[in-house]
Amino acid sequence: MKDRLPLKLNPDQPLVMGILNVTPDSFSDGGQFNAAKAAIIHADLMIKNGAKLIDVGGESTRPGAVEVDAEEELKRVIPVLEQLRELPVVLSIDSYKARVAKQACELGVQVVNDVWGLQRDAAMADVVADAEAHVVMMHNRLEVDPDIDIVSDVKRGFEASIAKADRAGIPKEKQILDPGFGFGKTLEQNYRVLACFEEFQSFERPLLVGASRKSMIGRVLNNEPEERLAGSLAVHSLALQKGADIVRAHDVKEHVEICEIIAAYRKWGQSN
């Protein structure tokens, strides 16, 4: 296997992570790319449109989705990863299962995107550390609670995830935090997290934002997932202005363009 491109994070230049769901039931694009050939074609298009990372997922994590076991998840993602590793892009595996992450990293995946922030599978932190991979540690909740202080809850979740990553020996610079829009949060709580996004910079880790086509947009605009590009750009632009380093998105070209505008703003728009 040839050497993979390194993941280079630059606070002055946000990156776009393209979403590649090889699932039959994801909320936005389920069934579109679950054949390996279609997935590779779509990944190639995202790369041409400027994606620096491709996040491959073999299990839908939308509310109400049916869980799949590691064996089924591997059947979905391994054929795609085996071909994607030849493309000029950083690869990410969207999984909370250590077994899936381990086999993906053995194929050259450099980022493990864990929607449970290393807190679901006890072996995950060690798998990431052994692979010398980056990890996206997302905040999540088993149940929605409209009465809690959601920003404080996100911070506590980050603290717990960081503690696990530190104990396993994952370097600080390879720990990426994601506040988890749409996961275990009410509509109002999602926007509260967005409003306070800059507070997460205190953890001194790269920040990822991923609200692409989610219901926090659809419920405000009363539209379907495929109609949520403008809303996705709006939410992500706000998060970028508040310090996001990576944007996880379905619509890569448009998000690359807003990242370029944000980069120009960070370079020239700040007062001296």
Side-chain angles (χ1 to χ4, degrees), residues 7 9 13-19 46 49-55 89-90 208-209 236 240 245-260:
L7 174 57
L9 296 172
Q13 179 61 64
L15 303 179
V16 174
M17 170 189 275
I19 298 169
M46 289 194 288
N49 283 335
K52 299 302 182 184
L53 305 93
I54 300 292
D55 191 36
V89 71
V90 173
L208 182 147
V209 58
H236 289 152
L240 285 163
D245 299 285
I246 302 172
V247 179
R248 183 178 182 273
H250 297 86
D251 303 286
V252 167
K253 181 178 183 296
E254 294 84 354
H255 280 89
V256 167
E257 290 178 355
I258 66 166
C259 284
E260 291 300 323

Side-chain angles (χ1 to χ4, degrees), residues 8 94 97 103 129 160 258:
K8 296 180 179 179
D94 181 0
K97 301 182 184 74
Q103 292 196 35
I258 66 166

